[in-house]
Amino acid sequence: MRIFGTILAGGQGRRLGGRDKALIGLGGQTLLARVAERLEPQVERLALSANVPAGAYRTAGLGPGVPVLPDPPPGDQGPLAGVLAGLDWAAAHGADWLVTAAIDTPFLPCDLVPRLLLAAETAGTGLAMAASGGRRHPTAALWPVGLRDELAAEVAGGLRKLGVFGAARGAALADFATVPGPDPFFNVNTPEDLAAAEAALG
């Protein structure tokens, strides 16, 4: 069983003044470095989904062997397009599954992959998404590579929301409600969120 990972970093960062979230600093590291540090040990290979050349990220914690995957044409189609780019890459390298995580989740669980896999296998759905605090977090998900053609058709038809796609296919939920400390899927979307994340680091 081969599981690859993709960090989704294609957002515009509008509520952070248009800053590239991957390059934002938190506790002496970039958000990119923090998320990669947590996800990379859990997968066979890691990629970054972004519409910026790889060179912009090499000094921000992106390993030399980690590819940067642009959205499929016409580009800028939301996070589902980033997932599709990841699935295309994973399929080309013989992977069975792709795990995705958002660039703005610095407290991402270090057991994300096994718990998503357990949820998918237990439910028999193949597709699983994380949950915490009574909320789904569809960017933190396990995707069977076999869903690639179906997802491509949905993206081409204008679908943009991960949660809608997952709910329509009965995605299993991996509940992280009992994890101590900050919400493991806390999003850094605003300057206030960034300050709260800094405070959580102590």
Side-chain angles (χ1 to χ4, degrees), residues 15-16 21 26 104 106-107 186-199:
R15 287 182 285 174
L16 284 161
K21 287 186 180 181
L26 174 64
D104 58 2
F107 306 117
F186 177 89
N187 292 107
V188 177
N189 287 317
T190 66
E192 292 77 18
D193 292 338
L194 185 60
E198 288 278 7

Side-chain angles (χ1 to χ4, degrees), residues 8-140:
L8 303 174
Q12 303 296 317
R14 292 184 180 91
R15 287 182 285 174
L16 284 161
R19 298 167 66 191
D20 187 332
K21 287 186 180 181
L23 306 179
I24 289 174
L26 174 64
Q29 291 180 285
T30 62
L31 289 179
L32 170 59
R34 285 190 171 275
V35 176
E37 186 177 78
R38 288 170 174 261
L39 184 59
E40 191 164 21
Q42 302 183 57
V43 296
E44 182 180 331
R45 294 185 64 178
L46 184 67
L48 179 69
S49 168
N51 295 304
V52 175
Y57 300 114
R58 293 301 179 201
T59 59
L62 187 70
V66 178
V68 174
L69 312 174
D71 287 353
D76 194 23
Q77 298 180 86
L80 268 178
V83 174
L84 180 57
L87 286 171
D88 286 342
W89 164 73
H93 291 85
D96 303 296
W97 306 84
L98 179 76
V99 171
T100 55
I103 191 67
D104 58 2
T105 52
F107 306 117
L108 194 74
C110 294
D111 60 349
L112 175 67
V113 173
R115 290 181 65 172
L116 285 171
L117 188 60
L118 178 62
E121 290 179 338
T122 300
T125 61
L127 173 62
M129 295 181 170
S132 67
R135 294 180 54 221
R136 293 186 181 208
H137 303 286
T139 54

